[in-house]
Amino acid sequence: MAREPTKVSPRLPSIFLLLTLAVLLLFSSSSLLFPPASSKISPPLRRHSNHFCSIRAADLTRGFWTHDSRYKNHSRPLYDASCSFHRNAWNCLRNARENMEAINSWVWIPEGCGGLPLPRIDPAAFLSAMRGRRIGFVGDSLNENFVVAFLCALGSADSGARKWKRKGAWRGGYFPKFDFTVAYHRAVLLAKYTWQPVEQLDLPNKDGLKGFYKVDVDIPADDWANITQFYDVLIFNTGHWWGLDKFPKETPLVFYKGGKPIVPPLEILNGLELVLQSMVSYINREIPIKVVKIWRTQSPRHFYGGEWNQNGSCLFTEPLKLEELDSWFDPRNKGVNKEAREVNFRIERAIEGTDIQLLNLTHLSEFRVDAHPAVWLGKKDAVAIWGQDCMHWCLPGLPDTWVDILSAQILYSLEAG
């Protein structure tokens, strides 16, 4: 509730009132002429009809998918193949991916919404509430997948939206009607890593190595090290590059701290733990407390029958059932898709006790085996070279549900202060 204005006693001399007014005018004039260099004036946030159906963001990420015809209008995409922010391989409408109407007919029913569908983002209301602000994503290509969905959804409310690639951003958009920016900074490991010839490796066992990637666990990648003061909201992720399919034994990751190799050498997931600890420490130290900091959990892969480079496939037409999830993703089953839960455990432990919020999108995404680009990649030889894409997501598609949840969490967090 707003505080009542302080009442001035009528007995005070008029000269005092004049002096008080003069001082107030002086201070207000100076603040207009010389605003703080590091702050950007933004309007207060206002609630709108698409705000939380539950106070806790976690309530939005637990639930079930339904194909109920009553919600047909609710699941209609906010954009199409013409979105200027699309990335070709994920533009499943343009690539004539089969089953797109069915993919976008499934609706998420969160536990916290009383049996009703997850509220959709209202792009115009969200942009209006975020006027003058900036949102940054940092991480691997799954955060890029997320950003493209976000940009396309918001672009439906600002026809003047244009591409934006400053501050080292890999991809982004500026919405001039609202003076609002969203951008993605590619940093797949978050930490700095560089290719090194094998001769540079100061370790005794070099047999079979063609070279190595030096990972400085205590140094953030250049792609995002200098943006800590620029954004009002930052969303982080890493995980999909922390596997032997990306860094095989002939070209491994070798972890350094303080400029020296860690001895004995770390296994890849132990290296991930150390990087997470260091990057979380950096975030807490360098990013202002007023910035909303969010860590997105892993987006699950759905390779069936083998890895991406071993003819793994995802030609499914319906989501998985709840009772099928553990057989696909439980690390105890040692399947090719165990990565998400393995990484999530380490993420949750690393950010515990900090002001970094967890955005757990893994569970609701585990169901959606049907929603990947698969063989519809937009290029003739793409599948022969790269295999099916059972890791990224079709757009429009599942990441639009991520956008609905993220937008609610951002508004709630900024309003809560």
Side-chain angles (χ1 to χ4, degrees):
M1 184 164 56
R3 183 184 298 173
E4 289 188 12
T6 304
K7 296 180 180 179
V8 180
S9 169
R11 293 192 295 272
L12 289 173
S14 59
I15 185 66
F16 180 79
L17 289 173
L18 289 174
L19 286 171
T20 302
L21 286 171
V23 170
L24 289 172
L25 284 171
L26 179 62
F27 275 104
S28 62
S29 299
S30 63
S31 64
L32 290 171
L33 290 171
F34 308 106
S38 61
S39 65
K40 186 167 185 177
I41 299 173
S42 299
L45 290 160
R46 292 181 174 84
R47 293 181 179 272
H48 56 81
S49 59
N50 191 49
H51 204 65
F52 270 123
C53 53
S54 169
I55 293 298
R56 294 193 312 115
D59 290 338
L60 301 181
T61 66
R62 307 294 300 184
F64 62 93
W65 291 95
T66 183
H67 198 44
D68 196 321
S69 59
R70 291 177 299 170
Y71 304 132
K72 185 175 181 180
N73 291 333
H74 187 89
S75 62
R76 184 175 290 117
L78 296 171
Y79 56 93
D80 57 25
S82 66
C83 171
S84 62
F85 297 108
H86 260 305
R87 179 168 167 176
N88 292 340
W90 308 330
N91 190 345
C92 291
L93 290 174
R94 194 203 66 172
N95 296 338
R97 194 225 192 273
E98 295 176 3
N99 225 35
M100 280 299 288
E101 185 175 352
I103 286 172
N104 285 291
S105 67
W106 291 91
V107 174
W108 181 245
I109 309 293
E111 288 181 359
C113 290
L116 296 175
L118 174 72
R120 301 297 307 276
I121 184 175
D122 179 336
F126 181 83
L127 286 168
S128 181
M130 296 296 292
R131 187 181 301 274
R133 291 180 165 88
R134 305 173 182 132
I135 297 176
F137 289 71
V138 179
D140 58 34
S141 60
L142 270 298
N143 251 9
E144 183 182 5
N145 206 177
F146 199 171
V147 165
V148 173
F150 203 13
L151 290 170
C152 285
L154 296 178
S156 65
D158 188 349
S159 59
R162 58 179 183 265
K163 294 179 180 179
W164 186 94
K165 290 179 69 174
R166 301 179 186 175
K167 293 285 184 179
W170 185 271
R171 172 189 298 272
Y174 177 67
F175 300 81
K177 185 177 176 181
F178 302 92
D179 186 25
F180 173 71
T181 303
V182 177
Y184 161 69
H185 296 259
R186 180 177 170 85
V188 297
L189 302 183
L190 293 183
K192 181 178 180 179
Y193 79 105
T194 53
W195 171 255
Q196 302 288 328
V198 69
E199 293 78 18
Q200 297 294 321
L201 186 59
D202 187 20
L203 290 173
N205 186 8
K206 304 177 185 179
D207 294 343
L209 292 184
K210 297 177 180 178
F212 67 100
Y213 290 92
K214 175 188 176 186
V215 182
D216 290 291
V217 300
D218 49 352
I219 302 176
D222 294 341
D223 309 80
W224 72 278
N226 298 318
I227 63 167
T228 55
Q229 308 293 316
F230 184 72
Y231 291 101
D232 300 283
V233 180
L234 280 165
I235 300 102
F236 296 92
N237 98 292
T238 189
H240 288 291
W241 283 64
W242 294 89
L244 296 177
D245 59 314
K246 296 290 188 183
F247 299 103
K249 61 182 180 180
E250 298 85 4
T251 54
L253 298 177
V254 178
F255 300 96
Y256 282 63
K257 187 173 184 178
K260 297 180 180 180
I262 296 174
V263 180
L266 298 177
E267 295 292 333
I268 195 165
L269 288 180
N270 292 331
L272 169 61
E273 291 181 0
L274 198 53
V275 165
L276 289 173
Q277 293 170 17
S278 297
M279 295 303 104
V280 167
S281 177
Y282 182 85
I283 290 167
N284 286 336
R285 185 174 69 251
E286 299 295 333
I287 298 179
I289 193 168
K290 65 180 181 179
V291 174
V292 176
K293 298 173 279 289
I294 298 172
W295 203 295
R296 178 184 63 74
T297 60
Q298 281 299 92
S299 169
R301 314 174 328 152
H302 289 95
F303 288 100
Y304 180 79
E307 267 286 3
W308 64 272
N309 55 355
Q310 298 170 345
N311 298 317
S313 176
C314 51
L315 297 174
F316 292 80
T317 57
E318 290 188 351
L320 297 174
K321 295 179 172 58
L322 178 64
E323 57 269 22
E324 296 177 290
L325 298 185
D326 282 349
S327 66
W328 277 73
F329 304 109
D330 193 323
R332 291 173 294 186
N333 295 323
K334 302 186 184 303
V336 297
N337 303 296
K338 65 182 184 298
E339 163 200 284
R341 295 189 185 182
E342 285 183 335
V343 172
N344 283 353
F345 170 75
R346 291 164 171 84
I347 290 170
E348 292 171 17
R349 190 164 58 184
I351 70 172
E352 187 176 4
T354 73
D355 67 345
I356 301 173
Q357 302 176 29
L358 191 71
L359 178 60
N360 192 343
L361 299 177
T362 305
H363 176 68
L364 69 89
S365 304
E366 286 182 342
F367 293 91
R368 299 308 306 273
V369 68
D370 59 312
H372 297 283
V375 299
W376 293 274
L377 301 177
K379 290 185 178 180
K380 183 178 179 181
D381 300 323
V383 176
I385 296 171
W386 299 107
Q388 292 190 30
D389 188 349
C390 303
M391 181 168 69
H392 301 99
W393 304 94
C394 278
L395 297 178
L398 172 69
D400 300 319
T401 299
W402 298 356
V403 168
D404 295 335
I405 295 173
L406 175 67
S407 60
Q409 184 165 342
I410 288 172
L411 290 179
Y412 179 77
S413 298
L414 288 172
E415 288 178 351

